[in-house]
Amino acid sequence: MNLILLGAPGAGKGTQGKNLLERYRIPQISTGDILRSNVRSKTQLGLKAREYMDKGVLVPDDVVVGMVSDRIKEEDCLNGFILDGFPRNLKQAEVLEQTLKDMGKRIDRVIGIDVERKELVRRLSGRRVCRKCGANYHVIFSPPMNIGACDKCSSEIYQRDDDSEETIEARLKVYEQETFPLIEYYARKGLYAAVDGIGTVDQITNFIVSAIEKGRSNT
Ligand code: AMP
């Protein structure tokens, strides 16, 4: 099953992707995570990507498209994958479609997680992330038990550079202008289903699983 998680920054794609990975045992491919790991390791790709990420704008298509094409050809993606944060614009969606076609594959379902703008800003501005395992916290709504340390692996918790007020606005604008049109793109192909992104993490996972299963029974 080849799945795409769509949604604005802060909608919960990363968190839900982790739950779906456990449930369906297929890898979660987060372009944001891959890029951040390159930034940390100061690879050439990371150095190039950083200037865009710090501004909250999209990294050039050729960089991310190549990265994803390579990743989905790896062996662990044979039974499927969950794309989180990709595609982010129509160009990326078209290249992905062609790449999959060349491999004799296709996207099976696109799930959009709906969260209103005000809530996205509230989530992103208080978000903290574990440097090691990627677990998410919120300074007010879901703080870790010990300040600054992850509940799951005790590693350091930090605030992403692009979760600053100014960059959040830029990222939401990029989402509205460049990524939002993908909803219609996938709806026209009969692949899109939206779920309510407000609720507990497990409730939302259940909404997503129902939407996936419903899509499967229709094909
Ligand atoms: P994310 O963790 O998904 O919020 O991504 C963080 C940042 O990485 C974004 O603001 C972009 O600068 C960059 N990025 C992630 N995915 C993509 C993509 N598919 N295309 C272009 N830039 C991306």
Side-chain angles (χ1 to χ4, degrees):
M1 184 183 55
N2 303 325
L3 195 69
I4 293 175
L5 288 180
L6 269 188
K13 300 184 296 295
T15 306
Q16 291 303 325
K18 284 189 191 71
N19 271 7
L20 296 172
L21 166 162
E22 280 170 23
R23 183 159 189 135
Y24 291 109
R25 309 220 164 271
I26 50 176
Q28 171 187 23
I29 302 174
S30 157
T31 41
D33 282 350
I34 301 175
L35 289 167
R36 274 185 293 280
S37 145
N38 275 279
V39 169
R40 264 198 307 277
S41 319
K42 297 196 168 64
T43 64
Q44 229 179 342
L45 188 151
L47 293 174
K48 185 171 176 189
R50 182 167 193 166
E51 46 182 305
Y52 298 92
M53 296 171 78
D54 283 349
K55 288 189 201 128
V57 298
L58 296 184
V59 172
D61 290 339
D62 56 336
V63 176
V64 265
V65 158
M67 218 171 72
V68 173
S69 299
D70 289 346
R71 181 66 188 85
I72 59 179
K73 285 176 189 142
E74 284 178 32
E75 214 182 317
D76 62 339
C77 293
L78 272 177
N79 290 329
F81 50 77
I82 304 159
L83 287 174
D84 148 15
F86 183 93
R88 280 266 228 294
N89 60 25
L90 284 169
K91 180 80 198 146
Q92 293 180 8
E94 283 162 5
V95 178
L96 172 68
E97 194 171 328
Q98 190 56 48
T99 307
L100 288 172
K101 205 168 166 195
D102 294 344
M103 295 166 72
K105 294 184 176 196
R106 64 183 169 109
I107 291 297
D108 297 301
R109 202 83 178 124
V110 179
I111 306 291
I113 309 177
D114 281 346
V115 176
E116 62 163 5
R117 199 177 207 281
K118 212 168 133 197
E119 171 67 11
L120 294 169
V121 174
R122 197 183 68 130
R123 287 186 188 179
L124 291 169
S125 54
R127 177 163 73 178
R128 297 291 184 272
V129 187
C130 172
R131 253 188 221 287
K132 196 166 169 205
C133 74
N136 267 275
Y137 298 90
H138 188 282
V139 283
I140 297 165
F141 306 108
S142 53
M145 284 185 286
N146 299 309
I147 296 172
C150 178
D151 292 349
K152 293 181 183 145
C153 71
S154 307
S155 301
E156 185 203 355
I157 284 171
Y158 80 113
Q159 180 173 31
R160 273 171 50 171
D161 287 343
D162 60 354
D163 279 344
S164 67
E165 214 172 303
E166 214 185 4
T167 317
I168 289 171
E169 279 305 317
R171 287 159 66 207
L172 292 176
K173 203 163 153 203
V174 166
Y175 170 77
E176 283 152 15
Q177 290 176 346
E178 302 195 42
T179 312
F180 188 77
L182 290 180
I183 294 180
E184 200 183 323
Y185 177 82
Y186 287 116
R188 270 209 220 120
K189 293 177 186 290
L191 295 175
Y192 185 75
V195 299
D196 187 356
I198 305 289
T200 66
V201 171
D202 288 339
Q203 269 166 351
I204 299 163
T205 305
N206 288 335
F207 296 153
I208 297 177
V209 170
S210 304
I212 294 171
E213 301 303 328
K214 200 164 158 230
R216 272 180 167 177
S217 58
N218 288 342
T219 49

